[in-house]
Amino acid sequence: MEHEKAESTDEKGIISKYYDGIHFPTLVPGDVKDHLNAVKNLKHRECDILLGAFPKSGTHWAFDVLYMLQTGKAEYSFDKIIALDFEPTEKFDALDSPRVLVTHFYPQHIPKYMVDEKCKIVYIYRNPKDTAVSAHLFLQRFDMVGFLGYDGEWEQYLELFTKKHVYYNSWFDHVKSWMEFKKTNPHLPILFMSYEDMKRDLRSCVQVIAEHLGSKQDPEFLDQVADKCQFSPMSKAKTADKTETAMSKDGSNPFYRKGVVGDWKNMFTVAQSEMLDKVVEDKMAGIDLNFKYTL
Ligand code: PPS
């Protein structure tokens, strides 16, 4: 399959695998159509959980919360996080049950059995300004064989993020399509959780997620999960483990940077912020989700 180089003002476009109108990262294995087909037909396992998120919305964070709740142990997942997007589907057979399957895919791509069998789904979303900053800085640091990335400047990245496309096309399309999926499938157990709410009060969010999963809700255990999943201990433990630092250009952990709400203020100009506000107003009109840009 041809990799497509998208247009951008500095001519350093995001290099992606393009299929069915969507720009996927080049790390999607092989032919995108075949891989999506294999994911759709993933072998059924009872009690699997799906975690969906647009990139840089707190996927790794939410994964560890789910993993701890599912295993009933307040222990980090370390190398257990593998995404449906980037691994051959056979790899998922090797995971212990119950599995937490992670994806940045759109709802139409998730395994069929998960919909048929009403598996529990958690969708994490984050305000678009912090998401864009996190993604831009991630792309500067991330390095992995097979990843053809993007090294454009912030201004150009923001233009792609708002007006054209980035990986998985757009934050707007992603959040809207998951909202639409929830609306049109009211019988499915889908929990929407915001990064900002997790940041404001992780303990309460852990409780909500545990209730959604029907997992162990002993208060002391939930306290431990919330403590372990605070940014500082989690990023320290994950960085010391070294599995993820191997994926960066500078030896840092590309998945843990600042872990705050409102870092966008250090990157956006006033004009850029106003521009994005207008785009959000336009593209998210009628969408019943509250995005918090500060705490
Ligand atoms: S990825 O590559 O798409 O899977 O990235 P993702 O994990 O979705 O998002 C990375 C951002 O999440 C922040 N993060 C956290 N924030 C708060 N608390 C905890 N425990 C936590 N763990 C990860 C991480 O730092 C990235 O955000 P930025 O803004 O870049 O710091």
Side-chain angles (χ1 to χ4, degrees), residues 1-187:
M1 173 173 301
E2 286 280 304
H3 290 171
E4 173 167 324
K5 198 161 189 171
E7 251 183 80
S8 80
T9 48
D10 67 347
E11 293 177 352
K12 284 183 189 164
I14 290 194
I15 305 171
S16 61
K17 283 186 176 182
Y18 183 68
Y19 173 71
D20 204 17
I22 299 174
H23 294 263
F24 294 94
T26 52
L27 287 179
V28 172
D31 183 86
V32 179
K33 184 180 177 190
D34 293 345
H35 183 65
L36 287 176
N37 196 31
V39 168
K40 194 94 208 147
N41 294 301
L42 194 75
K43 256 191 252 162
H44 157 268
R45 275 236 212 129
E46 263 175 50
C47 304
D48 281 343
I49 295 170
L50 186 84
L51 169 62
F54 188 75
K56 312 323 291 181
S57 302
T59 323
H60 285 69
W61 184 15
F63 178 82
D64 264 55
V65 171
L66 291 170
Y67 178 82
M68 289 182 192
L69 293 175
Q70 266 309 76
T71 54
K73 291 185 198 141
E75 288 169 13
Y76 297 116
S77 64
F78 293 112
D79 59 352
K80 299 283 190 316
I81 178 165
I82 55 172
L84 288 173
D85 315 33
F86 307 128
E87 306 291 340
T89 45
E90 302 77 55
K91 273 219 177 171
F92 296 89
D93 294 341
L95 294 181
D96 293 336
S97 282
R99 302 180 291 192
V100 180
L101 302 174
V102 184
T103 192
H104 299 310
F105 283 152
Y106 281 75
Q108 68 265 27
H109 302 132
I110 68 175
K112 185 174 177 307
Y113 78 86
M114 300 198 91
V115 175
D116 293 347
E117 309 210 357
K118 304 188 184 65
C119 291
K120 304 268 168 68
I121 297 176
V122 177
Y123 182 79
I124 302 293
Y125 64 99
R126 185 182 194 184
N127 82 64
K129 292 181 187 175
D130 279 325
T131 304
V133 169
S134 180
H136 171 64
L137 297 174
F138 172 82
L139 290 172
Q140 313 262 311
R141 288 200 289 162
F142 188 64
D143 189 20
M144 212 173 154
V145 175
F147 182 71
L148 302 172
Y150 176 75
D151 57 359
E153 298 298 323
W154 164 242
E155 212 178 328
Q156 282 76 43
Y157 184 78
L158 182 62
E159 187 180 341
L160 289 172
F161 187 90
T162 44
K163 300 189 183 146
K164 293 178 182 170
H165 64 79
V166 286
Y167 294 123
Y168 302 95
N169 283 18
S170 89
W171 176 92
F172 308 95
D173 292 347
H174 205 271
V175 174
K176 279 197 286 192
S177 71
W178 275 94
M179 281 291 285
E180 186 59 26
F181 181 65
K182 181 174 161 68
K183 201 168 135 198
T184 52
N185 293 280
H187 59 291

